[in-house]
Amino acid sequence: MYGLANMSLFLIEINLLAALFAVQLVSGDVKQGDLIDFGTLYNSFLAIYQVFSSENWTDVLYLAAGPEVPLRQSAITVLFIAGWMFFANCQYAFIFTQVCTLTCVLC
């Protein structure tokens, strides 16, 4: 039980850390009023969690990278979001499922 609680808190923590980076990277560049505008930490956290869950993550990618083209920073934004997608699905999701199965076996 403690392993699952620790992993859940770690999930929130790394999503928050990535959301802080995303706010600093694209805050103010995305048009206000969009569904996910990266203007606040809350909206950025939701966007990063959407990328983590891989539910329409390309919408977040295109929404964040589009306004960065005139600033010539779209490659950095794309690498950040794609890197987060890789980390979230290949590394962290594997660790999370291992802890869940270990917790269920020990119960």
Side-chain angles (χ1 to χ4, degrees):
M1 185 65 183
Y2 292 114
L4 186 59
N6 286 337
M7 287 302 292
S8 298
L9 288 174
F10 187 65
L11 167 71
I12 292 169
E13 182 183 351
I14 63 168
N15 275 328
L16 184 64
L17 184 66
L20 287 171
F21 282 124
V23 164
Q24 291 297 316
L25 187 62
V26 295
S27 178
D29 297 337
V30 179
K31 182 180 70 172
Q32 294 289 341
D34 283 337
L35 183 62
I36 297 174
D37 59 1
F38 291 96
T40 62
L41 183 61
Y42 178 72
N43 285 341
S44 181
F45 184 83
L46 291 178
I48 292 299
Y49 188 78
Q50 183 175 351
V51 172
F52 176 83
S53 67
S54 69
E55 183 71 30
N56 293 333
W57 74 278
T58 55
D59 294 345
V60 175
L61 178 72
Y62 295 140
L63 182 71
E68 300 293 329
V69 172
L71 302 173
R72 298 184 187 269
Q73 295 178 354
S74 60
I76 297 169
T77 305
V78 167
L79 284 174
F80 171 73
I81 294 176
W84 176 249
M85 178 69 179
F86 175 75
F87 172 75
N89 285 320
C90 293
Q91 301 297 321
Y92 189 73
F94 176 73
I95 294 169
F96 192 73
T97 56
Q98 290 298 318
V99 168
C100 288
T101 56
L102 181 63
T103 303
C104 291
V105 168
L106 294 177
C107 291

